[in-house]
Amino acid sequence: MDHNIKNVTVIGAGTMGNGIAQVFAAENYSVIICDVSETALSKALATIKSNLERMLKKEIITPQNLEATLGNIKTSMLLKEAAADADLIVEAATENEELKMNLFRQMDQYAPERCILATNTSSISITKIAVSTKRPEQVIGMHFMNPVPVMKLVEVIRGYATSDEVCQTVLAMSRHLKKEPVEVNDYPGFVANRILMPMINEAVYTLYEGVAGVNEIDTVMKLGMAHPMGPLALADFIGLDVCLSILNIMYDGFGNPKYAPCPLLKNMVTAGKLGRKSFEGFYLYTEGSKEVEVAPKFKK
Ligand code: CAA
């Protein structure tokens, strides 16, 4: 083993948190998922179980793998307890700078000195988050992609103070997770969202300006560029509020109007049309079903 990480604590039991916990547990790390909500914790365990059962059905894993993975996961509602013996903490809480700064202050206080503090942030500065701790050289970004068990990439983001040793440990550990880590530096949007979000924003502008409808735009990108999802379906999948927030962070961070979010995106977020999670974005969604249809007001 080219790293000393055994005990991993994941903060946040949402979509990203439970996916991250699953991939660590599947590779035999001892995992604690920590969240302030008991309901979120039981939902996370149920999601992991049903993901593993689907993999079992497809004979990707054995019944022993399933039991071992579930056996590697514990839950906790107390950060102090969850951090006490962690070699690595991966924070995957809500994307809010103040909340993350506050969490990192506590993680720094409760975690052992050896512990690496990672964040799954998609856009908040690692350098800034690190300032809230007394160990900025041990703070790093581990940006997993949704759905975590499926997507191979981990964008590993070095903050201004992140040490070479910590970066090498995280790269090695990501390979143990059977992921492909890519090292990048800490500037707004890192690499993934710096390139993805302008494409999504341009797709929204294309719709807003009446160049084409939702299905047409997504079909062009799916069939023409072999993207698994069109950019508008992907925006719904990510969450329109998340897309807007990332664009705003890049707009502020670079001061360049090319990142200015499309007024239609802003309007939809204001109206509470956030994509899949609110059952309406560029498409309409039915609860518990993958069926989608184009939201009527965007039909040509
Ligand atoms: N958890 C675990 N496995 C899942 C899953 C989930 N949530 N969702 C799908 N899968 C698995 C399925 O079981 C299936 O497995 P097999 O190949 O073994 O059968 C496989 O993934 C494909 O799934 P489906 O057949 O159900 O559907 P699909 O072929 O349409 O693929 C998709 C679904 C993987 C989501 C695909 O559409 C895709 O890759 N979309 C793009 C996703 C993407 O771009 N993600 C990055 C978003 S950006 C981000 O996360 C970061 C950010 O900062 C914004």
Side-chain angles (χ1 to χ4, degrees):
M1 193 86 120
D2 43 8
H3 64 79
N4 293 319
I5 310 291
K6 290 189 185 74
N7 300 334
V8 178
T9 295
V10 179
I11 313 270
T15 308
M16 296 308 285
N18 75 57
I20 294 167
Q22 181 185 321
V23 297
F24 274 104
E27 295 306 319
N28 252 329
Y29 293 84
S30 174
V31 177
I32 301 178
I33 311 177
C34 179
D35 198 291
V36 285
S37 153
E38 205 168 352
T39 320
L41 286 172
S42 24
K43 251 178 94 179
L45 289 180
T47 304
I48 293 171
K49 192 158 181 263
S50 79
N51 273 344
L52 292 171
E53 279 164 354
R54 188 173 50 193
M55 290 168 86
L56 179 64
K57 233 185 228 165
K58 290 183 186 162
E59 296 182 354
I60 301 168
I61 58 169
T62 64
Q64 290 80 1
N65 294 145
L66 184 146
E67 287 309 319
T69 302
L70 289 177
N72 285 336
I73 304 175
K74 294 195 189 81
T75 60
S76 169
M77 290 177 69
L78 294 174
L79 183 58
K80 188 174 180 180
E81 171 190 278
D85 195 26
D87 301 311
L88 167 78
I89 303 182
V90 184
E91 173 275 320
T94 311
E95 195 71 351
N96 173 298
E97 188 176 298
E98 206 183 316
L99 181 131
K100 288 197 195 282
M101 299 285 276
N102 187 27
L103 273 174
F104 270 75
R105 227 169 276 129
Q106 293 180 58
M107 284 152 61
D108 189 33
Q109 190 183 348
Y110 299 134
E113 253 176 52
R114 64 176 192 275
C115 184
I116 294 174
L117 308 180
T119 171
N120 180 55
T121 182
S122 50
S123 56
I124 298 169
S125 162
I126 310 303
T127 307
K128 183 143 193 209
I129 291 173
V131 168
S132 62
T133 75
K134 294 193 185 71
R135 56 179 109 183
E137 67 291 346
Q138 282 166 246
V139 175
I140 193 160
M142 278 188 89
H143 185 205
F144 290 85
M145 304 289 132
N146 185 21
V148 180
V150 180
M151 307 304 280
K152 294 298 281 179
L153 178 71
V154 184
E155 194 178 25
V156 174
I157 306 121
R158 296 185 72 130
Y160 196 81
T162 311
S163 73
D164 286 343
E165 193 191 337
V166 165
C167 190
Q168 290 311 317
T169 301
V170 168
L171 292 171
M173 188 188 59
S174 303
R175 289 188 197 102
H176 275 281
L177 296 176
K178 303 200 175 91
K179 299 288 183 201
E180 194 66 55
V182 175
E183 183 185 336
V184 311
N185 287 319
D186 180 28
Y187 289 97
F190 317 134
V191 171
N193 282 319
R194 177 147 177 190
I195 297 170
L196 175 63
M197 288 303 157
M199 181 189 72
I200 286 177
N201 200 35
E202 203 56 36
V204 185
Y205 263 114
T206 310
L207 177 70
Y208 172 70
E209 292 170 2
V211 180
V214 173
N215 272 332
E216 288 78 1
I217 292 166
D218 275 356
T219 303
V220 166
M221 297 307 285
K222 274 198 298 186
L223 301 188
M225 283 78 198
H227 289 192
M229 281 174 168
L232 299 173
L234 183 56
D236 278 357
F237 182 66
I238 292 168
L240 302 194
D241 51 338
V242 176
C243 294
L244 178 61
S245 151
I246 298 172
L247 282 161
N248 277 328
I249 285 175
M250 294 200 294
Y251 187 30
D252 289 349
F254 291 113
N256 187 332
K258 78 175 171 183
Y259 302 109
C262 176
L264 173 59
L265 182 65
K266 288 192 197 169
N267 254 355
M268 290 174 74
V269 173
T270 306
K273 310 299 179 199
L274 307 181
R276 279 190 190 216
K277 62 185 156 191
S278 70
F279 305 108
E280 185 177 342
F282 296 105
Y283 296 85
L284 294 174
Y285 302 85
T286 328
E287 193 157 9
S289 142
K290 279 184 75 176
E291 270 171 57
V292 291
E293 55 180 286
V294 179
K297 62 175 162 297
F298 298 118
K299 280 190 180 151
K300 284 192 87 180

